[in-house]
Amino acid sequence: MVLRLNIDQIKPATQDWICKVQIVEIGRPRESLDKKCTFQNLILEDEQECQIRAVMYTNEIEQYAAKLKLFNTYLISTARVKVSPTSYGKPIHQFYWILDKETVIEQIKPSNEVEKPLPPPTKLNITSFDRIPHLMVDSAAEIDVLAVVLRCGPQKNAGHSHHRCREITLCDNQQNQFLFTLWEDFGEIEGHKISSKMATETDLLVILGKSIGISTYQGLSLQTRYNSTVRVNPNYPQAVALLNWAKENKTMLLSSPSDTTSTSSSITPMIVTPSGQQLISIADISSVPSISHT
């Protein structure tokens, strides 16, 4: 007998289960750190808004490319359930799923009369900018952020290590600002998308960054990590509200800095803390060996 279970009820030893989930995040296919394989991360959410990471590898990425789409609902069974590693940050769930050739994935289409698709997701676990200076930050700490993009710098190489990066300046609805460094392919792909949109669109952009790292080297800043995702103008109610706020306050946001924040469009953006203290950009430090951006 197949059991209809939610995410939290499914463990590695659970057999004959099926789970109704919605894809709420799809990462880009990435090469593993050891260069031995290509993988792709997805975030799945069930009817109770519990979330879990799912991963596909090379063959399955191609097999499911046309079928697995953001915000679509699926019935999934016989996925392999594994214990989440903690080497690249705090996982969103103690387990994760592997979607392979044995996994059964059935899409629930809007026309289905018996099984209805899940409603658009609203759950976000966002860390507000004013909390960041008070967090107990360690090398594995990761947060999710939702913010307005004020400025986007060009692609460049950082220090003696010559890591490629792009720096963007983010702002929340309290006008707190943080420098956000997009390392390597994040700067080339997501950063290029942000830069292109800012050059052609009149409104400011909002980004949702998930699994974002906090750097404490020479001050606080944000940076992409190996498992990060960066999405532009995501279709969440929180993002729509922030985008509308940015539209109403665009002139103020792009004019003179407030008392609590400070950047200048004529110079390389500085790391800015809510207390107004300016610190040198991590990408402009001559040597960055202690900074983890993977």
Side-chain angles (χ1 to χ4, degrees), residues 169-189:
T169 306
L170 301 181
C171 177
D172 67 4
N173 61 2
Q174 302 299 314
Q175 301 182 58
N176 296 313
Q177 297 180 16
F178 272 94
L179 190 76
F180 182 27
T181 303
L182 307 175
W183 290 106
E184 305 292 352
D185 56 346
F186 286 102
E188 295 172 0
I189 299 174

Side-chain angles (χ1 to χ4, degrees), residues 1-293:
M1 178 180 176
V2 178
L3 299 175
R4 182 74 172 259
L5 301 176
N6 291 321
I7 288 172
D8 273 347
Q9 297 173 299
I10 300 168
K11 298 176 173 57
T14 307
Q15 296 182 353
D16 299 328
W17 57 268
I18 189 168
C19 185
K20 183 177 181 178
V21 296
Q22 179 176 195
I23 299 177
V24 298
E25 196 68 56
I26 300 179
R28 284 187 286 102
R30 306 291 304 279
E31 190 175 38
S32 62
L33 288 174
D34 59 11
K35 311 296 184 183
K36 292 183 178 180
C37 69
T38 301
F39 71 95
Q40 185 174 21
N41 284 327
L42 303 92
I43 304 298
L44 309 178
E45 183 176 293
D46 66 15
E47 296 172 278
Q48 303 300 316
E49 294 191 308
C50 180
Q51 296 183 351
I52 194 167
R53 179 173 70 94
V55 62
M56 298 182 295
Y57 294 99
T58 307
N59 293 336
E60 286 72 33
I61 292 173
E62 299 174 0
Q63 175 184 343
Y64 292 123
K67 184 173 187 178
L68 298 180
K69 300 296 183 181
L70 193 65
F71 301 141
N72 281 357
T73 301
Y74 302 86
L75 292 173
I76 294 182
S77 59
T78 63
R80 286 194 286 156
V81 183
K82 300 287 186 179
V83 176
S84 295
T86 58
S87 38
Y88 303 120
K90 184 180 179 181
I92 62 172
H93 196 280
Q94 68 180 116
F95 303 122
Y96 73 101
W97 296 355
I98 297 177
L99 309 183
D100 58 20
K101 62 182 180 181
E102 305 296 332
T103 306
V104 178
I105 302 175
E106 177 188 353
Q107 182 181 356
I108 300 176
K109 297 184 178 180
S111 58
N112 192 315
E113 294 294 329
V114 178
E115 194 78 57
K116 295 296 183 182
L118 294 174
T122 60
K123 179 183 177 181
L124 288 175
N125 185 26
I126 299 300
T127 298
S128 62
F129 278 9
D130 57 0
R131 282 187 55 210
I132 294 175
H134 308 290
L135 295 177
M136 294 294 292
V137 178
D138 57 44
S139 60
E142 292 180 348
I143 61 173
D144 296 349
V145 296
L146 184 70
V148 179
V149 181
L150 296 184
R151 299 172 186 86
C152 180
Q155 187 81 354
K156 65 180 182 179
N157 294 324
H160 296 315
S161 54
H162 298 293
H163 288 298
R164 292 165 296 146
C165 71
R166 189 190 297 263
E167 294 173 337
I168 65 177
T169 306
L170 301 181
C171 177
D172 67 4
N173 61 2
Q174 302 299 314
Q175 301 182 58
N176 296 313
Q177 297 180 16
F178 272 94
L179 190 76
F180 182 27
T181 303
L182 307 175
W183 290 106
E184 305 292 352
D185 56 346
F186 286 102
E188 295 172 0
I189 299 174
E190 284 84 355
H192 176 73
K193 180 179 180 180
I194 292 169
S195 178
S196 297
K197 280 184 170 291
M198 293 188 74
T200 57
E201 298 184 8
T202 57
D203 292 327
L204 293 172
L205 305 178
V206 166
I207 66 162
L208 173 62
K210 291 193 173 184
S211 299
I212 302 303
I214 304 172
S215 172
T216 57
Y217 189 81
Q218 296 290 319
L220 285 176
S221 70
L222 305 175
Q223 59 182 338
T224 52
R225 292 176 59 88
Y226 190 57
N227 289 326
S228 297
T229 60
V230 178
R231 192 136 53 90
V232 180
N233 291 344
N235 191 27
Y236 280 84
Q238 301 92 322
V240 173
L242 183 59
L243 189 61
N244 289 334
W245 176 84
K247 289 179 182 179
E248 296 172 359
N249 295 279
K250 179 179 178 181
T251 301
M252 177 267 293
L253 290 172
L254 296 181
S255 62
S256 58
S258 71
D259 293 337
T260 58
T261 60
S262 176
T263 57
S264 172
S265 59
S266 62
I267 60 172
T268 300
M270 308 291 280
I271 300 169
V272 183
T273 69
S275 63
Q277 181 183 10
Q278 293 186 340
L279 299 165
I280 189 169
S281 156
I282 59 175
D284 286 337
I285 297 169
S286 60
S287 178
V288 290
S290 64
I291 298 174
S292 171
H293 56 270

